[in-house]
Amino acid sequence: MSAHGIEAGMALPPRVEEVSTGVFAYIQPDGSWWINNTGFVVGRDRVFGIDASSTERRTRGILDAIGTVTSAPVRTLLNTHHHGDHTHGNGYFTEATIIAHEAARELIIGQEPPPNGMVFEPVEWGALPPAPPFLTYSDGVDVWVDDRKVEVRYISTPAHTTNDSIAWLPEERVLYSGDLVFNGGTPFLLMGSVAGSLEALDRMRALDPAVIVPGHGPVCGPEIFDRTEGYLRFLQKTAADAHAAELSPLDAARQTDLGEYAEWLDAERIVGNLHRAYAELDGRERGATLDSFGILGEMVTFHGGPLRCYA
């Protein structure tokens, strides 16, 4: 890890935010590659957790933070989707029933961190004992924390991935969105769908949340839906114009003026997002498998070297 990365990580430590009584967000700045948010809901004798983290150190940090709020164990852990920044640390939730969408379990089994230095800057992953979800659902499940209901629901379409779930607290109007929402970071759709992401936004809007805990970035309100939709519409138009001009996604990305989105973290995701948008223009189904490794290589080329990673 570069000195710059260490300085950034030291300057902005993770923090716990109580977003409603007994309902918490665990925010990990700066929310770039492999630095995710998690959350937890506290009951009298049990905790419901939303997502693990990418490394041993970061996952132990989550558990330590929960311990500053309650001595109760995490009895249930939701994986909002299969990506390793949300699941690698599952094995440290030793007393929890780990739940996820059925497709997430399939993709988590056998998943390992990427080789250091090839796509991402080197990371100290630590020991990551495998622990795939062992209770799965197709549509959703209700989790009760004392008398508090948490509605876990599959978003019903490929969006960020093929297996995205949300956790919704209807009484408190708090939404844990997973990576269906990035606040201050570029959405990443390589393994999901642009059209599906737009539908997912509509489904989350319909809940009328007051507070959203995004998968990456600061806690926010429903205004994030409009900002995210703006990027997705921009992406679709950019892809349509470039596809018609027979530009490759990488060449299109190099020629694209990101405008208001240029300041968002991880701008190189435009390459992967254009690949996904091109696939949809070509009539491929949402979430169809693309050459992720090759496309990540193009993102490295666009970025000019391994992608920044402070995990």
Side-chain angles (χ1 to χ4, degrees), residues 72-114:
V74 178
R75 294 293 193 192
T76 312
L77 176 70
L78 168 68
N79 289 153
T80 59
H81 61 291
H82 75 280
H83 283 166
D85 51 337
H86 298 256
T87 63
H88 280 335
N90 279 358
Y92 290 97
F93 292 82
T94 55
E95 297 182 66
T97 297
I98 304 173
I99 68 174
H101 185 262
E102 56 195 9
R105 171 182 162 81
E106 295 174 7
L107 292 165
I108 290 168
I109 293 173
Q111 183 172 247
E112 295 182 353

Side-chain angles (χ1 to χ4, degrees), residues 35-122:
I35 303 177
N36 68 312
N37 297 332
T38 70
F40 56 101
V41 181
V42 177
R44 289 186 298 272
D45 61 358
R46 66 189 56 236
V47 174
F48 171 52
I50 298 99
D51 283 326
S53 197
S54 56
T55 68
E56 176 183 352
R57 176 179 63 86
R58 286 188 175 273
T59 300
R60 289 186 183 278
I62 296 167
L63 291 166
D64 288 346
I66 294 172
T68 67
V69 174
T70 177
S71 61
V74 178
R75 294 293 193 192
T76 312
L77 176 70
L78 168 68
N79 289 153
T80 59
H81 61 291
H82 75 280
H83 283 166
D85 51 337
H86 298 256
T87 63
H88 280 335
N90 279 358
Y92 290 97
F93 292 82
T94 55
E95 297 182 66
T97 297
I98 304 173
I99 68 174
H101 185 262
E102 56 195 9
R105 171 182 162 81
E106 295 174 7
L107 292 165
I108 290 168
I109 293 173
Q111 183 172 247
E112 295 182 353
N116 265 333
M118 292 184 64
V119 174
F120 301 99
E121 293 174 342

